[in-house]
Amino acid sequence: MSTQKQLESIDQALMQLLQKRITLMQDSWKQTQSGTDDIEANRADSVHYQGLTQGLIQGSEQGTTTQGTTQGTTQGAEQGATYEALLHQHRIPLHLWNTLITECAAAASTAPPSVSSDCEESRCVVIVGGNGVMGRFLSDRLTLAGHTIRVLGRNDWDRADEILANVDLVLLSVPLHLTEDITRRVAPHLSPNTALADIASVKAPILQTMLAAHSGPVLGMHPMFGPGVDSFLAQKVVVCPGRQYDSFQWFLDAIAQDGGYLVTASAEEHDQIMVVVQAIRHFATLCLGIFLAREKIDINRSLEFASPLFRMELNIIGRLFAQDPALCSEIITASAERCQAIQRLASTCQEIADLFFKGNQAVILSEFDQAHQLFYQESARAFKESNYLINSLMSMIAADTMSG
Amino acid sequence: MSTQKQLESIDQALMQLLQKRITLMQDSWKQTQSGTDDIEANRADSVHYQGLTQGLIQGSEQGTTTQGTTQGTTQGAEQGATYEALLHQHRIPLHLWNTLITECAAAASTAPPSVSSDCEESRCVVIVGGNGVMGRFLSDRLTLAGHTIRVLGRNDWDRADEILANVDLVLLSVPLHLTEDITRRVAPHLSPNTALADIASVKAPILQTMLAAHSGPVLGMHPMFGPGVDSFLAQKVVVCPGRQYDSFQWFLDAIAQDGGYLVTASAEEHDQIMVVVQAIRHFATLCLGIFLAREKIDINRSLEFASPLFRMELNIIGRLFAQDPALCSEIITASAERCQAIQRLASTCQEIADLFFKGNQAVILSEFDQAHQLFYQESARAFKESNYLINSLMSMIAADTMSG
């Protein structure tokens, strides 16, 4: 049998086993949740599953750090040890197994789309700007959930009445600086029963505009991710209620069903937190990229010397500079608060650089300690997650090197 | 059969199949390399393997970006489509399969340790500072490769003659600011045949000190990674030859055998590139963390709103502030070049913030464009790698949510 045929037969068998494992985890989890079955037995399984997975992950991903202590149960630790012996016997790296179990649990955490489309009423959705990256993502996910999608693109305004007639939901998925104008342009075409939502990254002024322009259900939304994502799995979606929140329940359920995590907030809280999550992050990444360009660094040679974290940073910088510069500027300067915050960050950098220049070690230590207090509570999780991603990045580089 | 027993039997079967798949990939790859077998047939397999994996990865990880075009062969794309249909049929997420194939290829790229220990001569190594995190990592990996390790800790100096007698290699794995002193303290105990190497993050002055203090083989080394790593897999190790390079061949082979990528450079080039890879990265992360602490942001609430990239940044910041602040300061200020570079970065941040404040869009666009020119060549890789890690992070969060 050729290598190719052997690979194919192994892969078929692997897929069947993986499907079984995912279904088993899903059933066991559902039973624990619904409490219809023998609860004690299932709880024991759940504890075991947790101990087994976490024991292994802690063993490999946290093993060589000095952070935190292993928190698994003794039972979990013992079962972890048995699994480690089995893996060693089969010469399977611990990280390979950790990723396999992690990915199976993630798959088990979302119900297969075909189930949801059976039990949900099909709705009609218009996506304004549906040809953009986010528009296409939303269209794909809602179609998979069994809903009907129409697109209103930039050249479709003469057919707006026709496209926007008899729809359950209109989603505005257009550039930030156009959102308010397009809200006012869309609203006159809507029936008072049609629900209106947007996905722009600034919420307070846009929510006000939507509420003023449309008398029906209104919702501000902000999916906290960009291009390159497969599904809503574990992605945060901020939801700012405007009017008649219940009209959006089926839509929010579809997102949750696809794995999304809904976070409800006032538009004001959203906008305040985005100063850091968006403006500061973009500004810091932008400055680093511009600095590296000014220093004329050799990216390829730097990559040969790169630590995993430096490589991740370079990748994040690379993503930003492949974007539309106007979008990047817009995110950084979308509000007066954002402009003031980036000024404060720039001052902080200058201050810290001066402290190092003057060798003022005592003040640096005190600043370090204050930040340490803020981040300490999260450091065990930060190490666990980043170690897992570092090991995954290394595997990806090794696999790419092998395949040419 | 209980859920637990069913899981165990599935996992046993999975491990056997994974072992087969890894061995098959390894054999096929070795045959292609050595050219002892039917080369044409193996090349075809290799092309196929590549097309199949990359087709899938491009489909899922790059599918929704607008960056680049799919570069797989038509053959690869077709086979990718067949696999996609199979995965859909088994309800297995594309990213689960991509990680599985990636991890198998990574495992196949390194020979199992037991093979290497059979064919290598066992050496005797002393690790000075062998009780530290890096010391223990080096000790573990060299032990696994079949070598004998002794440790010279801070309380062992009265037995230094005994510990350092008849050894092939002495590895200095001590804090940066102690490395030169300890070099001078160790050297008088060494025979001229003993090889001496260090792993400090500054190379030029330390290499000079080692060459002056020891008349035998000398090598400067810098493993480009920190705690939390399982093996040398795909990790960069910078190597700066000092004297009698051949004496280190067995040692460098052991690192390469464990998956490490050796990068040879002069101590001066290493130190120059580290200004960016280490000092600038640490300084930028430090400033962001201090800024967030000054702004008194609520980390937990921010995480609820976090995009994947913001979460990754927070994790990188969290790692830094769990470190020893002295180590962090040392890395930032280890040389005059580093102190000057962080001043230039701080000035750049201030300049860019001022440009935004004044609304000087033209200059911002021109700066953006220059950085775009630098990073454009790497953007396809940056998207592919970061999308893969984003999807892996999402799976990890979903799995953690499910298990508790």
Side-chain angles (χ1 to χ4, degrees), chain A residues 143-162:
Chain A
T143 303
L144 214 63
H147 304 294
T148 307
I149 311 297
R150 291 185 217 151
V151 167
L152 181 79
R154 69 184 72 193
N155 302 317
D156 301 328
W157 286 105
D158 49 350
R159 297 192 300 120
D161 260 335
E162 179 194 334

Side-chain angles (χ1 to χ4, degrees), chain A residues 4 11 21 48 50 64 83 103 228 269 294-295 301 311 319 321 344 367 372 385-387, chain B residues 4 11 21 48 64 83 228 269 294-295 301 311 319 321 344 367 372 385-387 395 403:
Chain A
Q4 184 47 36
D11 286 352
R21 199 187 205 286
H48 171 86
Q50 195 175 331
T64 51
Y83 262 73
E103 293 294 336
E269 188 193 11
R294 287 181 174 186
E295 299 275 312
R301 187 66 174 155
R311 190 175 177 118
R319 289 176 79 97
F321 286 97
R344 290 198 299 277
E367 294 275 1
H372 171 82
E385 283 182 11
S386 53
N387 286 345
Chain B
Q4 184 47 37
D11 286 352
R21 199 187 203 286
H48 172 87
T64 51
Y83 262 73
E269 188 193 11
R294 287 181 174 187
E295 300 275 312
R301 188 66 175 155
R311 190 175 176 117
R319 290 177 78 97
F321 286 96
R344 290 198 299 277
E367 294 276 1
H372 172 81
E385 283 182 11
S386 53
N387 285 345
S395 294
S403 71

Side-chain angles (χ1 to χ4, degrees), chain B residues 325-367:
Chain B
L327 177 66
C328 178
S329 287
E330 204 170 45
I331 285 174
I332 292 173
T333 59
S335 68
E337 290 77 35
R338 294 186 181 201
C339 290
Q340 287 151 14
I342 64 167
Q343 286 279 357
R344 290 198 299 277
L345 173 58
S347 304
T348 301
C349 291
Q350 193 62 66
E351 255 182 77
I352 308 294
D354 289 344
L355 288 173
F356 277 117
F357 192 75
K358 292 178 195 145
N360 198 334
Q361 203 63 21
V363 182
I364 292 170
L365 281 181
S366 141
E367 294 276 1

Side-chain angles (χ1 to χ4, degrees), chain A residues 126-373:
Chain A
V126 170
I127 303 182
V128 182
N131 299 317
V133 174
M134 281 306 289
R136 274 183 284 129
F137 173 82
L138 292 166
S139 173
D140 288 350
R141 302 320 293 173
L142 289 171
T143 303
L144 214 63
H147 304 294
T148 307
I149 311 297
R150 291 185 217 151
V151 167
L152 181 79
R154 69 184 72 193
N155 302 317
D156 301 328
W157 286 105
D158 49 350
R159 297 192 300 120
D161 260 335
E162 179 194 334
I163 295 172
L164 293 166
N166 300 314
V167 297
D168 296 293
L169 171 66
V170 172
L171 267 178
L172 305 176
S173 175
V174 296
L176 175 57
H177 68 279
L178 298 177
T179 306
E180 289 186 74
D181 278 355
I182 288 177
T183 300
R184 284 185 282 259
R185 206 163 166 189
V186 161
H189 300 280
L190 305 182
S191 105
N193 298 323
T194 299
L196 177 66
D198 80 304
I199 61 156
S201 57
V202 174
K203 294 269 70 87
I206 290 169
L207 190 59
Q208 284 311 315
T209 303
M210 288 199 295
L211 285 168
H214 179 51
S215 64
V218 164
L219 184 78
M221 247 181 61
H222 189 190
M224 295 307 305
F225 54 93
V229 159
D230 286 351
S231 74
F232 275 105
L233 181 71
Q235 298 287 359
K236 311 289 195 290
V237 179
V238 185
V239 169
C240 304
R243 187 190 294 131
Q244 292 171 246
Y245 188 70
D246 287 353
S247 304
F248 297 92
Q249 201 55 57
W250 66 270
F251 174 53
L252 300 177
D253 286 349
I255 292 174
Q257 188 82 357
D258 195 35
Y261 296 162
L262 302 166
V263 186
T264 307
S266 69
E268 290 68 27
E269 188 193 11
H270 166 274
D271 290 353
Q272 190 215 317
I273 290 183
M274 284 310 123
V275 171
V276 164
V277 171
Q278 288 209 306
I280 289 295
R281 191 189 78 69
H282 273 75
F283 177 73
T285 305
L286 180 81
C287 289
L288 255 182
I290 289 175
F291 171 77
L292 295 177
R294 287 181 174 186
E295 299 275 312
K296 299 193 183 2
I297 70 149
D298 180 338
I299 299 276
N300 283 323
R301 187 66 174 155
S302 301
L303 277 170
E304 288 185 60
F305 287 72
S307 65
L309 295 180
F310 183 75
R311 190 175 177 118
M312 287 183 193
E313 292 275 12
L314 275 191
N315 287 344
I316 291 175
I317 297 173
R319 289 176 79 97
L320 183 122
F321 286 97
Q323 269 184 18
D324 176 8
L327 176 67
C328 178
S329 287
E330 205 171 44
I331 285 174
I332 293 173
T333 60
S335 69
E337 291 77 34
R338 294 187 181 201
C339 290
Q340 287 151 14
I342 64 167
Q343 286 278 357
R344 290 198 299 277
L345 173 59
S347 304
T348 301
C349 290
Q350 193 62 65
E351 255 182 77
I352 308 295
D354 289 345
L355 288 173
F356 277 118
F357 192 74
K358 291 178 196 146
N360 199 334
Q361 203 64 20
V363 182
I364 292 170
L365 281 181
S366 142
E367 294 275 1
F368 189 101
D369 190 57
Q370 279 165 49
H372 171 82
Q373 299 300 328

Side-chain angles (χ1 to χ4, degrees), chain A residues 3-20:
Chain A
T3 307
Q4 184 47 36
K5 285 266 171 284
Q6 287 179 62
L7 268 182
E8 279 174 11
S9 85
I10 290 174
D11 286 352
Q12 290 254 11
L14 274 172
M15 287 185 200
Q16 282 162 15
L17 282 169
L18 290 169
Q19 185 178 20
K20 267 192 212 165

